[in-house]
Amino acid sequence: LTNVTRSMFRGSSAYEAKALETIDAITNVQTAFKNLTNNNQNGVGYTNGDLSTSLKNLATLIKMNVGISVATIDMGGWDHHQNLTPAFTSRATELSKGIAAFWKDIASYQAQTTIVTMTEFGRRFQENANRGLDHGSASTMMVVSSKLNGGKVYGTWPGLADNQLFGGDLAVSTDYRTVLSETLVTQHGEQKIANVFPTVPYYPLGMFATPPGS
């Protein structure tokens, strides 16, 4: 397919020259991607699961130095309305093993990388009739960084008494944008965080010990 496409741009115009440059870039990236994937990711602990596959590909792109600034990866399978214990165990195992392998895989890039996990919904406090948990309010976020003041739970514990729950759910105590704001400012050098989250005042939790590059 690349040869066919290349044959379409045999002229000498600036347009055709730029098209050939693009094809060359794609070919080089594909070759480098294949070589890195085959040679540099053995023994770090990736599973055959969906998250591990995505993280492995992301690690390859990072090591290719293609200029990645921010990347997002979705991991489904958390909608546990029934049989919570076996379903959650499987997904949590893939999450932990995938992140551990990815962090090991990018050992040379850890100083400039921050991992943040989050979900768009939590689970309810009380189990339903199907031994699962329906959609709730609060959940947890996890942060991995070599610059982190780690080993801590940040935020205020809201409590589980009836008068402390939010409609039967664990109450939200920390806006997810607070975590992302501090990450962007301290680790990504964002100078105008109000343009990113205009309705949330900047209030760092003190998660990071050192600024980027130090």
Side-chain angles (χ1 to χ4, degrees), residues 164-187:
Q164 295 172 320
L165 297 176
F166 177 76
D169 295 336
L170 183 66
V172 175
S173 63
T174 303
D175 193 309
Y176 74 94
R177 291 169 293 186
T178 299
V179 177
L180 296 181
S181 292
E182 183 174 351
T183 302
L184 288 173
V185 169
T186 64
Q187 304 306 302

Side-chain angles (χ1 to χ4, degrees), residues 12-136:
S12 57
S13 68
Y15 167 77
E16 289 166 310
K18 185 59 64 175
L20 291 175
E21 287 181 17
T22 302
I23 294 172
D24 288 339
I26 293 173
T27 301
N28 291 337
V29 168
Q30 289 176 333
T31 300
F33 190 91
K34 181 178 180 180
N35 290 337
L36 275 171
T37 301
N38 290 339
N39 299 330
N40 293 343
Q41 292 176 325
N42 297 324
V44 298
Y46 286 117
T47 73
N48 293 322
D50 54 344
L51 179 65
S52 283
T53 299
S54 296
L55 287 173
K56 182 190 299 184
N57 291 336
L58 176 57
T60 298
L61 290 174
I62 291 173
K63 290 182 288 186
M64 288 172 62
N65 294 310
V66 296
I68 290 179
S69 179
V70 177
T72 62
I73 292 176
D74 291 331
M75 181 186 184
W78 298 96
D79 207 6
H80 301 148
H81 292 281
Q82 57 189 5
N83 299 323
L84 172 69
T85 300
F88 181 83
T89 299
S90 173
R91 299 314 286 157
T93 298
E94 169 66 7
L95 177 64
S96 60
K97 288 186 175 181
I99 290 178
F102 174 76
W103 195 244
K104 185 177 180 180
D105 198 2
I106 61 164
S108 299
Y109 298 84
Q110 290 178 0
Q112 61 208 68
T113 303
T114 303
I115 304 171
V116 179
T117 72
M118 60 179 292
T119 178
E120 72 271 28
F121 56 82
R123 310 307 296 182
R124 290 187 65 82
F125 174 56
Q126 297 291 344
E127 181 182 283
N128 62 26
N130 295 315
R131 297 183 178 179
L133 296 175
D134 296 323
H135 293 186

